[in-house]
Amino acid sequence: MSADDQAFLDVLSSVPNDIRRYSNDVADYVDKHIEKAAGVLREALSSAQWIPESARPSPPPAPKPLLKSTMMPGTSMYMQVHSWVMRHKIWTTVIVFAVGGVTYHIIKRNRKHKKRRARRAGNGARLEVVVVAGSPSEPLTRSISLDLERRGFIVYVVCNTIEEEMQVQNESRSDIRPLMINIVDPSSAHASIDRFLIHLQTPHAAFQGARPHHLALRSLIIIPSLTYPSSPIATLSPSTLSDLLNTRLLNPILTIQTFLPLLTTPAASHSHSTPAKPSVLLLTPSIIPSLSPAFHSTESTIISGLTSFARVLSAELSPLDIPVTHLQLGNFDLSSFTPKNQLQTLHSQRAETLQWPEGARQAYGRNFTTLTSGRGVGSTFGRGSSLRELNDAVFDSMTSNKSGIVRVGQGARIYGFVGGWVPRGLVGWMMGVRSTGSMRTSGAGIVRSEEGSSRSISPGSSGLSDSEYIDLHGYSKSEDDS
């Protein structure tokens, strides 16, 4: 077979394929126009009024918008992402939570390994001074003082007595020094503050021949006592209330008032290595004040007063660019400073209960023992957070230059939420507080007998018998049955 014959056969073999392709194109063209005409006819008939509604065809469905044809070149990626998110909402939620968790973990790890050191002079001398106003025997005062000294601060602990000064000197740290201030005597306190200001403004040399430098007050840290007695309001004596209000509430307020002239006066205005305006930190417990449980009236009252005072102080010092930070503390592990004897604590609570009057012991004894023992508030705290978390929070609050409330420690946030949103009756029930029902008393009161008559009991009378009781609701048992 010649080459011409082969070419002729190839042309003949391609004819069916061409015919099929052309016929398909013609069919598609005809179908397209027929479908379009049918749609136009259907739309016209659906809107025709002369056709009965039952026989009138429904209008053709609206064509779906084509995203690819309507997307602008500059927003194509955004539209694709938006379309994918709308189609895969569950996967989008999972991805958002995963990315958020990883981000939070990375930020927390970076904050944990953040370098927290005080500023120093070029020759290594310490420049920043921190004043800690708290009892030297308190575990938090000792922990914060030692930590700030290790970070490069010069720490002055406010002392009111010679015994407290000896406790500070027994720490055997050259940069933890006592600062004697008699808060009760205003003239003596102002004289001590003036001498301390002169000390800050005097040039200091790290060693002989070194360049002199000036000290600057970095922060004032107020640490009231964190231990409060637990007792019913009925058994609190006036002397105990007066002593607690003076030592736990009035003493921190007077301390801040005494240091206010020093806070508003830059100790070294010509020094550019440290900020001129110091900060104020107030540390208070938060778990008991948030819950306000029974038998903790003194702690709840005093901490509420300090909280209100911190808000007012922040409002007054905010125009002066002096930040006031209120650290609300949770539970911390203080075993390294004050090992506790749980058995001895339980025995002391029972001994205190036996000293109450008979009526108070019958009314509050069972709930008090439950609330202050293994089933009560103390059992819900656990071991507590590490003191390193508190020390890091104190340093960050000192250097943040921002006012506000910082919750730190185990239970500080969760108990704040529980105290603010959970019903108080449920909180008391979870702590073990139960209704005492009908009470017996040997004190003065009105006793209703079984016949419904009432008689008065004087304080010197012998009391009630086993069959007599005081009905808290004001009616006798027979009246309740009727």
Side-chain angles (χ1 to χ4, degrees):
M1 183 181 293
S2 63
D4 295 337
D5 297 337
Q6 184 63 36
F8 180 74
L9 292 176
D10 293 338
V11 172
L12 290 179
S13 62
S14 62
V15 169
N17 296 330
D18 294 339
I19 293 175
R20 184 173 63 253
R21 180 167 58 87
Y22 292 146
S23 61
N24 290 335
D25 293 342
V26 171
D28 293 339
Y29 181 80
V30 172
D31 292 342
K32 180 179 178 181
H33 283 74
I34 292 176
E35 183 178 1
K36 185 177 180 180
V40 173
L41 180 60
R42 183 179 180 181
E43 182 178 2
L45 293 177
S46 62
S47 59
Q49 300 296 330
W50 55 272
I51 300 178
E53 186 175 358
S54 58
R56 189 182 304 169
S58 59
K64 296 182 179 180
L66 298 178
L67 295 179
K68 293 184 178 180
S69 60
T70 59
M71 287 190 301
M72 300 298 293
T75 59
S76 59
M77 182 60 67
Y78 170 78
M79 295 300 296
Q80 292 177 7
V81 172
H82 181 270
S83 177
W84 189 90
V85 168
M86 296 304 296
R87 293 195 308 269
H88 307 84
K89 295 182 180 181
I90 297 179
W91 280 106
T92 302
T93 304
V94 172
I95 292 174
V96 168
F97 275 100
V99 173
V102 172
T103 304
Y104 173 78
H105 178 73
I106 293 176
I107 294 176
K108 186 176 181 180
R109 185 184 60 182
N110 293 338
R111 291 187 61 183
K112 184 177 180 180
H113 297 284
K114 176 183 176 181
K115 184 178 180 181
R116 297 177 173 90
R117 294 291 183 270
R119 295 185 180 90
R120 290 178 179 265
N123 53 13
R126 300 184 179 225
L127 299 175
E128 297 183 311
V129 175
V130 176
V131 177
V132 178
S135 176
S137 59
E138 288 287 338
L140 293 187
T141 303
R142 295 183 56 196
S143 174
I144 293 175
S145 301
L146 293 173
D147 181 77
L148 293 177
E149 189 272 339
R150 286 192 294 265
R151 297 183 190 274
F153 293 97
I154 301 176
V155 182
Y156 284 90
V157 181
V158 177
C159 302
N160 298 319
T161 61
I162 301 299
E163 290 77 9
E164 293 181 349
E165 183 179 4
M166 295 300 297
Q167 290 179 2
V168 175
Q169 293 176 355
N170 290 337
E171 295 290 345
S172 301
R173 298 293 184 99
S174 59
D175 291 312
I176 299 181
R177 309 168 186 176
L179 180 59
M180 288 295 298
I181 297 180
N182 188 5
I183 303 297
V184 181
D185 188 0
S187 60
S188 176
H190 289 309
S192 301
I193 292 297
D194 292 338
R195 290 193 298 269
F196 184 61
L197 179 60
I198 295 174
H199 172 72
L200 295 179
Q201 293 177 343
T202 303
H204 299 269
F207 51 89
Q208 187 176 3
R211 182 179 179 181
H213 61 275
H214 294 81
L215 301 178
L217 181 61
R218 188 65 184 89
S219 181
L220 171 64
I221 304 177
I222 308 296
I223 309 177
S225 179
L226 303 182
T227 56
Y228 293 83
S230 301
S231 178
I233 299 177
T235 61
L236 288 173
S237 62
S239 60
T240 302
L241 288 174
S242 177
D243 181 68
L244 290 174
L245 292 176
N246 286 330
T247 56
R248 311 294 172 86
L249 179 61
L250 186 60
N251 195 17
I253 294 177
L254 292 179
T255 302
I256 295 178
Q257 185 183 29
T258 303
F259 276 90
L260 280 179
L262 183 61
L263 296 175
T264 56
T265 302
S269 59
H270 53 275
S271 177
H272 300 285
S273 59
T274 56
K277 296 297 180 65
S279 59
V280 179
L281 274 67
L282 176 62
L283 281 67
T284 60
S286 66
I287 296 180
I288 294 297
S290 298
L291 301 178
S292 296
F295 315 117
H296 293 81
S297 60
T298 55
E299 182 174 356
S300 299
T301 302
I302 292 173
I303 299 304
S304 298
L306 290 176
T307 302
S308 301
F309 176 77
R311 294 176 182 174
V312 176
L313 181 67
S314 177
E316 292 183 0
L317 297 183
S318 178
L320 303 177
D321 295 332
I322 298 178
V324 178
T325 305
H326 185 193
L327 276 78
Q328 298 182 353
L329 310 181
N331 191 32
F332 290 95
D333 183 14
L334 305 177
S335 58
S336 58
F337 289 93
T338 54
K340 296 182 180 180
N341 190 336
Q342 186 68 23
L343 183 61
Q344 182 179 0
T345 303
L346 184 59
H347 287 171
S348 63
Q349 293 171 353
R350 293 178 177 175
E352 180 185 356
T353 307
L354 294 177
Q355 296 177 0
W356 295 352
E358 181 67 20
R361 188 164 61 251
Q362 291 182 1
Y364 309 109
R366 185 179 66 180
N367 285 329
F368 177 80
T369 304
T370 302
L371 200 62
T372 55
S373 62
R375 291 182 58 195
V377 180
S379 64
T380 60
F381 294 166
R383 182 176 179 85
S385 302
S386 173
L387 286 175
R388 180 177 180 179
E389 182 179 351
L390 173 62
N391 296 329
D392 293 344
V394 168
F395 183 90
D396 294 339
S397 301
M398 289 169 49
T399 58
S400 63
N401 295 326
K402 294 181 180 179
S403 301
I405 298 177
V406 177
R407 295 182 180 269
V408 58
Q410 182 182 13
R413 294 181 177 86
I414 184 64
Y415 282 106
F417 173 80
V418 170
W421 297 97
V422 177
R424 297 189 52 80
L426 179 60
V427 174
W429 181 84
M430 293 173 62
M431 291 182 178
V433 177
R434 298 295 183 267
S435 175
T436 57
S438 59
M439 297 187 305
R440 299 173 182 175
T441 179
S442 61
I446 300 297
V447 181
R448 292 189 177 271
S449 62
E450 295 180 357
E451 293 80 11
S453 62
S454 62
R455 60 187 179 91
S456 175
I457 298 292
S458 62
S461 61
S462 59
L464 302 176
S465 63
D466 293 340
S467 61
E468 295 174 333
Y469 64 92
I470 293 179
D471 195 338
L472 298 180
H473 299 282
Y475 48 81
S476 63
K477 184 176 180 181
S478 59
E479 294 172 348
D480 184 37
D481 294 338
S482 62

